[in-house]
Amino acid sequence: MFKKINNILDNFFLDFNSNSKKLFLIYGLYIIFISASSLLFAHLFSQKFDVMDNDFNIILKNISFEFGELIENLYLSKGYFHEVNGNKHYLKKLPAIPFLILFISKLTLNYYLVIIIKNLIIFTIYFFTTYYLLRNFVNNKIIFLILIVPTILPYNLSVALNYVYADSILAIFLPLLYLSLISQSKLKIIILSLILFVLYFSKSTMVFILFLIPFLVFILEKKYNFLTRIMPFIFVIFSICVWGFFGLSKTGTFPVGNKILSANAMGLSYVLNNDFKNYYPNKSTDLITNQLTSQIFYSEWDEFEHYDKRNKKYLKENFTSYLKDCFLKINFIFFGIKRDSSFPDENGNLNNEIRISMIFNKIILNLSVLLSIFIFIKNLKNLNAYKDDFYFLIIVALGLLPHVIVWATSKHLIGVINISIIYLLILFQKDYIKKKINFSKKFRG
């Protein structure tokens, strides 16, 4: 039975690359599934949160994670800012999510259509970019499986379908970053550069990836000319300048590095806190009582400097405790399978039930990391021939490092986990793993 199904799939995907009708048939089915999933997600999300009015229009100001006020201000042409204690804060959030939702809201305010259009845009980018990057690299069945990676596990899909946090973008664009690095396409570095540009404006946790990947590309991608190899630098520097000069014009400070967002120091203060270990990972860190939250600041950089000094003092006096908390975070990243960051219900109870998707996610993450480390060590002297494994390790390490420094929740890990699924799919395609690890020789007889 399995062999028969496999033969049918082989025949269907045989001319997948040269048959545009099959490609667009698959794309048609793909967007139908994404649209239906978006509609279901939107309905379930609206049952929990006040997201639309009686006319089914999205309530922009109610978009959570502090995006709501920002998006509403943009929609009303007031400008890009939050108002805190009567002062305008311009650098609390990066603009990828706000401008994406703003663009869609100018087309329609219908809550369901906003979510469907957002996901059609993001998943269409993923579909055709993935197809282009892999069409001459891996077999067609593997391409198809990689195309559906973000949809395989329910929780992973729900993160990608969301619209209230930047991890919905990372769930799609981090896998595209990895695919562009391992692709054999002539345009891979141009595509890579565009992806880095998008990631810079998505989330501040991308800072390590954005600063190191261009150097690795310049060193390892020697078959490309000098101008092509420096293109990732150009795009990252351009993105730094765009955000930096906006911040400089509005606040008098050039935001970059740990200052890319003025809210970073305050966010870190919840981690650099003696109560952190009593809350993480089961309870939301937003529940931590911070004695400084009621203090009024005259500018967002006054707030940043205040919390930054406090954080440095805590680290100096409690460095051992902070390191112990880091191991707590590492344990959650690799082994946490329960619902995390919960808020208590009206009776004070927390919902920390096991997430089935996270069981599979953690198995996939650990297996992919262990295999890639084994391959990397085994072939250390021939790194250029095993760049895809090296790139995988680097992206996983750099993607997880900020979450060890600050904290990780389940949604923060989905981008890296989707990359891990892709890595295993490519690794285990026919005869590929034999070439890499030589299991057949190692265990023969």
Side-chain angles (χ1 to χ4, degrees):
M1 179 68 177
F2 179 80
K3 188 174 181 181
K4 199 171 185 180
I5 294 173
N6 192 54
N7 288 336
I8 293 172
L9 291 173
D10 281 337
N11 292 331
F12 180 82
F13 289 110
L14 184 62
D15 60 345
F16 181 54
N17 285 337
S18 59
N19 192 326
S20 59
K21 288 183 179 179
K22 285 186 178 180
L23 174 64
F24 282 97
L25 172 62
I26 292 173
Y27 173 66
L29 296 173
Y30 191 78
I31 62 171
I32 288 172
F33 176 78
I34 295 302
S35 298
S37 299
S38 298
L39 192 60
L40 177 61
F41 168 82
H43 172 71
L44 294 176
F45 197 77
S46 69
Q47 302 302 300
K48 296 181 180 179
F49 304 100
D50 183 18
V51 293
M52 60 180 170
D53 61 23
N54 293 331
D55 296 320
F56 304 105
N57 290 323
I58 189 170
I59 305 174
L60 295 176
K61 67 179 180 181
N62 286 1
I63 296 176
S64 52
F65 291 92
E66 297 187 287
F67 282 119
E69 180 190 356
L70 182 57
I71 295 171
E72 185 179 55
N73 285 339
L74 286 170
Y75 184 81
L76 298 175
S77 301
K78 291 182 179 180
Y80 189 94
F81 66 89
H82 294 82
E83 191 167 319
V84 182
N85 297 320
N87 299 310
K88 290 183 178 179
H89 287 209
Y90 296 93
L91 303 169
K92 287 174 70 69
K93 288 291 180 180
L94 288 167
I97 284 287
F99 277 101
L100 176 59
I101 301 302
L102 173 67
F103 167 74
I104 299 170
S105 64
K106 291 295 184 179
L107 301 176
T108 178
L109 282 172
N110 181 276
Y111 166 72
Y112 293 99
L113 287 178
V114 167
I115 296 178
I116 290 172
I117 293 171
K118 174 260 173 186
N119 290 322
L120 288 181
I121 292 171
I122 297 297
F123 278 88
T124 294
I125 292 172
Y126 179 78
F127 185 96
F128 285 107
T129 305
T130 297
Y131 169 74
Y132 177 80
L133 289 170
L134 297 182
R135 60 181 180 172
N136 297 317
F137 176 41
V138 296
N139 71 60
N140 294 328
K141 281 193 296 185
I142 297 297
I143 293 177
F144 174 75
L145 291 174
I146 291 174
L147 286 173
I148 64 172
V149 160
T151 71
I152 292 173
L153 293 168
Y155 180 76
N156 301 19
L157 177 59
S158 72
V159 170
L161 294 176
N162 214 304
Y163 69 103
V164 301
Y165 43 68
D167 300 283
S168 63
I169 293 180
L170 302 190
I172 298 299
F173 278 85
L174 269 181
L176 288 180
L177 176 69
Y178 176 63
L179 292 174
S180 65
L181 285 168
I182 67 172
S183 172
Q184 295 178 359
S185 167
K186 293 180 181 179
L187 299 179
K188 61 176 279 184
I189 294 183
I190 296 175
I191 295 172
L192 167 71
S193 301
L194 290 169
I195 292 168
L196 290 173
F197 184 81
V198 172
L199 289 175
Y200 188 87
F201 293 107
S202 298
K203 198 165 185 181
S204 59
T205 54
M206 293 293 99
V207 61
F208 296 116
I209 285 176
L210 288 158
F211 287 165
L212 186 58
I213 290 298
F215 285 99
L216 293 178
V217 169
F218 185 81
I219 294 169
L220 296 176
E221 302 296 335
K222 295 178 180 178
K223 68 178 182 179
Y224 295 93
N225 61 44
F226 177 81
L227 184 59
T228 302
R229 286 159 59 202
I230 66 168
M231 195 168 291
F233 286 107
I234 294 172
F235 273 75
V236 170
I237 291 171
F238 179 61
S239 60
I240 291 171
C241 290
V242 169
W243 182 245
F245 284 114
F246 168 75
L248 184 64
S249 67
K250 295 296 185 180
T251 70
T253 297
F254 193 95
V256 70
N258 71 319
K259 285 189 171 183
I260 188 172
L261 292 177
S262 60
N264 278 352
M266 186 183 75
L268 189 57
S269 71
Y270 287 91
V271 180
L272 302 179
N273 190 301
N274 287 320
D275 287 332
F276 178 76
K277 59 182 173 294
N278 299 322
Y279 286 78
Y280 184 83
N282 294 332
K283 301 178 185 178
S284 172
T285 53
D286 291 336
L287 296 169
I288 296 176
T289 301
N290 191 313
Q291 66 270 26
L292 301 177
T293 53
S294 61
Q295 187 161 341
I296 296 175
F297 302 97
Y298 294 104
S299 77
E300 55 193 305
W301 291 119
D302 286 340
E303 178 184 294
F304 180 93
E305 294 299 331
H306 189 90
Y307 282 107
D308 190 51
K309 289 178 182 178
R310 178 186 179 278
N311 294 339
K312 289 175 180 176
K313 181 182 178 183
Y314 178 88
L315 274 177
K316 185 177 180 180
E317 297 173 354
N318 302 276
F319 189 69
T320 301
S321 295
Y322 172 71
L323 288 180
K324 290 179 181 178
D325 289 345
C326 286
F327 283 106
L328 186 67
K329 290 172 269 187
I330 292 171
N331 180 67
F332 172 78
I333 288 170
F334 289 100
F335 304 106
I337 59 174
K338 292 184 177 181
R339 189 175 184 274
D340 59 286
S341 302
S342 296
F343 287 90
D345 61 21
E346 57 185 13
N347 298 317
N349 299 317
L350 294 169
N351 179 4
N352 295 126
E353 63 184 12
I354 291 175
R355 277 191 173 119
I356 302 301
S357 291
M358 294 312 294
I359 296 176
F360 291 102
N361 280 337
K362 297 310 169 73
I363 292 172
I364 289 164
L365 178 62
N366 283 282
L367 179 61
S368 60
V369 168
L370 289 173
L371 283 173
S372 61
I373 290 173
F374 180 87
I375 293 168
F376 175 70
I377 294 173
K378 187 176 183 294
N379 301 284
L380 193 58
K381 294 181 180 179
N382 193 19
L383 180 61
N384 203 55
Y386 296 90
K387 287 187 297 185
D388 47 349
D389 306 287
F390 179 63
Y391 281 139
F392 170 76
L393 273 176
I394 288 296
I395 293 178
V396 169
L398 297 180
L400 294 179
L401 180 58
H403 299 299
V404 175
I405 295 172
V406 188
W407 75 83
T409 65
S410 293
K411 68 178 183 292
H412 294 151
L413 306 177
I414 299 307
V416 167
I417 288 169
N418 283 342
I419 295 173
S420 300
I421 300 172
I422 291 169
Y423 175 75
L424 291 177
L425 284 172
I426 294 174
L427 187 65
F428 282 95
Q429 67 176 309
K430 189 177 180 181
D431 294 330
Y432 197 62
I433 195 165
K434 291 181 182 179
K435 173 187 172 186
K436 293 252 177 174
I437 309 181
N438 294 319
F439 276 138
S440 58
K441 291 182 182 179
K442 195 175 183 74
F443 296 105
R444 187 179 295 161

